[in-house]
Amino acid sequence: MSLNTATTNNWTLRQAVEGAAAAGLPAVGLWRDRVAEAGVERAAKIVRDNGLRVSSLCRGGFLTGQHDAGAALDDNRRAIDEAATLGTPELVIVAGGIPDRDLNGARRRLTDRLAELVSYAADRQIRLALEPLHPIYCADRAVISTLGQALALAAPHPAETVGVVIDTFHVWWDPELPLRIAEAGAQGRISSYQVCDWMVPMAADPLLSRGMMGDGVIDFGAISALIRAAGYGGDVEVEIFNEAVWATDGHAVIETMKQRYRDLVLPALSG
């Protein structure tokens, strides 16, 4: 299990890394804002000094704008360099939304700009990990909403250069999920498995409707069994955006994470 720094949003990078290490976790998933606060070289040293690895860096992407291609590509190249310095092979890519009511145009721009980044990432041994987001985020955050769409976008590129993120919050509802997880596994494209729950009722801000495993409606056993059958053996990140979780002591959050992971996720992953 890996602690994603979004889950302990009130902690600095050092606090998150040291908290994860103290709890016996082997890895952390880092967000670039926390890395920037510490400085990328110092962040890498903090992780190394605590004996952890970085399961992924979040995020690159937002490649769909009409007029900002140069700036977006430059920022993604910086993110790729940061991932290389941090020693993680996976850079999470959130596609970007619709700036101009032209959904097809946004998706074309995403396809073209992703292709421009692949060789730069490959030279640094970084995989661009495409994360489909739930359709409620299509307008402002991600014009790819299903795992099938992410796999289609990845298809022209080698599996070692473009992968996919499977985040339970975003994909649990998809009737094609079993087929697509199997497809992603067969292609060797699963970059990351992220877990958190879908809360009901949703928060006024949907971004904050992610909850601790077991507090919502997602069947983690069923999805985790699909992940195991697909051959994924990497880190499992817990990534939660939730004001009540953020207001809780980080050490207590990690202990709850560990217990819920043992009860709800690990049995299916272990077979």
Side-chain angles (χ1 to χ4, degrees):
M1 187 177 72
S2 172
L3 170 68
N4 186 289
T5 55
T7 303
T8 51
N9 191 53
N10 58 333
W11 271 357
T12 64
L13 182 139
R14 178 180 290 279
Q15 288 174 314
V17 170
E18 292 179 349
L25 304 186
V28 286
L30 301 182
W31 272 72
R32 291 178 70 198
D33 59 346
R34 288 291 177 266
V35 172
E37 289 170 4
V40 64
E41 297 284 354
R42 183 163 172 261
K45 185 176 187 303
I46 290 170
V47 175
R48 287 195 307 270
D49 288 351
N50 281 275
L52 271 59
R53 61 179 173 268
V54 180
S55 50
S56 73
L57 177 65
C58 191
R59 55 180 161 65
F62 285 82
L63 295 165
T64 55
Q66 269 192 313
H67 308 298
D68 60 350
L73 289 168
D74 286 346
D75 183 64
N76 278 269
R77 293 186 189 102
R78 285 192 294 272
I80 291 166
D81 292 338
E82 290 166 14
T85 300
L86 292 164
T88 178
E90 310 289 352
L91 174 64
V92 176
I93 300 292
V94 176
I98 309 166
D100 52 9
R101 296 190 178 91
D102 181 4
L103 177 57
N104 290 331
R107 287 176 174 156
R108 283 194 300 271
R109 290 189 291 272
L110 170 63
T111 299
D112 293 344
R113 292 169 189 173
L114 179 70
E116 290 190 53
L117 292 170
V118 166
S119 62
Y120 189 89
D123 288 345
R124 290 151 182 80
Q125 298 183 301
I126 301 300
R127 180 157 63 169
L128 305 175
L130 305 174
E131 183 172 11
L133 269 58
H134 190 282
I136 61 174
Y137 301 107
C138 185
D140 61 344
R141 284 181 173 80
V143 296
I144 51 173
S145 304
T146 68
L147 189 54
Q149 286 177 303
L151 288 167
L153 184 59
H157 309 289
E160 62 269 21
T161 62
V162 183
V164 296
V165 178
I166 299 172
D167 183 328
T168 56
F169 180 83
H170 292 303
V171 302
W172 68 273
W173 58 275
D174 186 351
E176 293 190 348
L177 189 60
L179 176 64
R180 299 310 175 193
I181 289 178
E183 182 181 350
Q187 295 177 11
R189 291 194 188 270
I190 302 179
S191 291
S192 178
Y193 179 39
Q194 296 181 336
V195 294
C196 75
D197 221 330
W198 180 283
M199 303 299 290
V200 176
M202 295 192 74
D205 181 353
L207 278 175
L208 303 181
S209 289
R210 302 168 72 104
M212 187 66 69
M213 298 83 73
D215 287 350
V217 302
I218 295 176
D219 185 343
F220 292 96
I223 298 177
S224 296
L226 294 171
I227 294 291
R228 176 177 57 83
Y232 180 73
D235 294 311
V236 181
E237 288 188 17
V238 179
E239 184 186 50
I240 301 172
F241 294 78
N242 183 295
E243 289 184 330
V245 172
W246 290 344
T248 303
D249 173 73
H251 298 287
V253 169
I254 293 176
E255 290 307 310
T256 301
M257 279 171 43
K258 289 168 63 176
Q259 189 59 53
R260 301 290 179 88
Y261 180 81
R262 290 190 199 102
D263 293 346
L264 301 174
V265 180
L266 186 58
L269 287 176
S270 302

